[in-house]
Amino acid sequence: MTTTTAVLLWVVVPYVAAAVFVLGHVWRYRHDQFGWTTRSSQVHESRLLRIGSPMFHLGILMVVGGHVVGLLVPRAWLEAVGVHEHTYHLVATWAGSLAAALTLAGLAILVYRRRVVGAVRRATSTSDKVMYVVLGTTLLCGTAATVLFQVLGGGYDYRGSIAPWIRGLASLRPDASLMADVPGMFQAHVLSAMLLFAIWPFTRLVHVLSAPVGYLVRPYVVYRTRDARRGTRVTRPGWERAERPGAPAEHR
């Protein structure tokens, strides 16, 4: 791999993907707020969805958590709190394998559901199909890399190459040479992940950034009837009846 190609793949492409990810969400929010949704298909079929969706979401949360620890937290920090290399390797390998299996099984059920249930298949857009292909490719490449190198092979120290490369990108000090000798399956996993981030704002994945945080701080909503007839339930402290201004005396 030439120096120019390395810089293109491991410096230019990541920053372009990050820019598209950020600006794409801004554009989507400003121009397509009504389309900012999961486009849930639960109304069409719920049995397979109840099985596949929790498996996929639990697995992907585990995958994301493992990536955050393994790629963004320096090795010295983990060792400082007592997590040494052997312990980290065991947990990362076997917990990562479990997370990958759970995620892929859930994704397989969801894709199967979209293929065999007619109403769900008709509600599947082109962006959904592209997203599933790219997401599936990213997960398969990551799983294959884990199995081939970490489980069946002698292990690969991605914390000495991929992890500092990512942290260098985040600190605006990218070093493409760190990715030069990374095994091809890991490189494919990284490149497919960057493609996934680039298409993210234009797919149903935007719902990941939509958390109903306001529900945690908003005041409760008081519902009251307009019916003048009194109920028989005893009024609890703090829930006194609210009367309409100017209501007739007999209604007070």
Side-chain angles (χ1 to χ4, degrees):
M1 182 181 296
T2 65
T3 303
T4 302
T5 303
V7 171
L8 177 64
L9 288 178
W10 310 120
V11 177
V12 176
V13 172
Y15 283 127
V16 169
V20 174
F21 180 85
V22 173
L23 297 178
H25 278 92
V26 173
W27 175 88
R28 181 80 181 269
Y29 184 78
R30 295 186 62 180
H31 297 280
D32 187 31
Q33 291 190 30
F34 287 105
W36 191 294
T37 172
T38 61
R39 294 199 299 274
S40 175
S41 56
Q42 185 176 3
V43 67
H44 301 304
E45 194 278 339
S46 60
R47 184 178 63 87
L48 290 173
L49 186 64
R50 284 198 300 268
I51 300 173
S53 183
M55 291 175 63
F56 173 78
H57 285 89
L58 176 60
I60 204 68
L61 286 175
M62 294 172 63
V63 168
V64 171
H67 279 68
V68 169
V69 174
L71 299 177
L72 298 182
V73 180
R75 186 185 329 222
W77 291 14
L78 292 178
E79 292 180 349
V81 296
V83 181
H84 298 289
E85 183 64 25
H86 180 67
T87 303
Y88 171 83
H89 176 74
L90 286 178
V91 174
T93 299
W94 297 110
S97 299
L98 173 62
L102 195 63
T103 306
L104 286 172
L107 181 63
I109 293 173
L110 296 177
V111 172
Y112 171 80
R113 172 178 175 271
R114 287 192 173 273
R115 291 294 301 167
V116 302
V117 180
V120 180
R121 184 173 64 250
R122 289 189 293 271
T124 303
S125 66
T126 301
S127 68
D128 292 334
K129 297 175 183 177
V130 173
M131 182 271 293
Y132 278 119
V133 170
V134 178
L135 177 60
T137 301
T138 304
L139 292 172
L140 286 173
C141 288
T143 303
T146 299
V147 173
L148 293 175
F149 291 90
Q150 309 303 97
V151 178
L152 301 179
Y156 174 70
D157 185 19
Y158 56 85
R159 293 203 291 169
S161 55
I162 302 176
W165 167 72
I166 289 180
R167 293 197 296 268
L169 289 173
S171 61
L172 302 181
R173 292 179 295 185
D175 184 358
S177 65
L178 290 169
M179 296 294 292
D181 297 323
V182 172
M185 192 59 68
F186 283 98
Q187 291 184 342
H189 176 57
V190 172
L191 290 172
S192 59
M194 289 190 290
L195 177 59
L196 179 64
F197 280 110
I199 68 171
W200 191 300
F202 314 104
T203 68
R204 67 172 61 222
L205 292 176
V206 292
H207 80 276
V208 175
L209 301 182
S210 302
V213 179
Y215 282 99
L216 300 176
V217 296
R218 72 174 178 85
Y220 61 83
V221 179
V222 178
Y223 294 93
R224 65 181 183 227
T225 180
R226 292 180 179 273
D227 193 341
R229 292 174 296 178
R230 299 281 187 177
T232 58
R233 188 172 59 183
V234 178
T235 301
R236 293 179 293 169
W239 292 84
E240 292 80 7
R241 303 182 192 278
E243 306 293 351
R244 288 178 295 170
E250 63 271 14
H251 290 168
R252 295 184 180 175

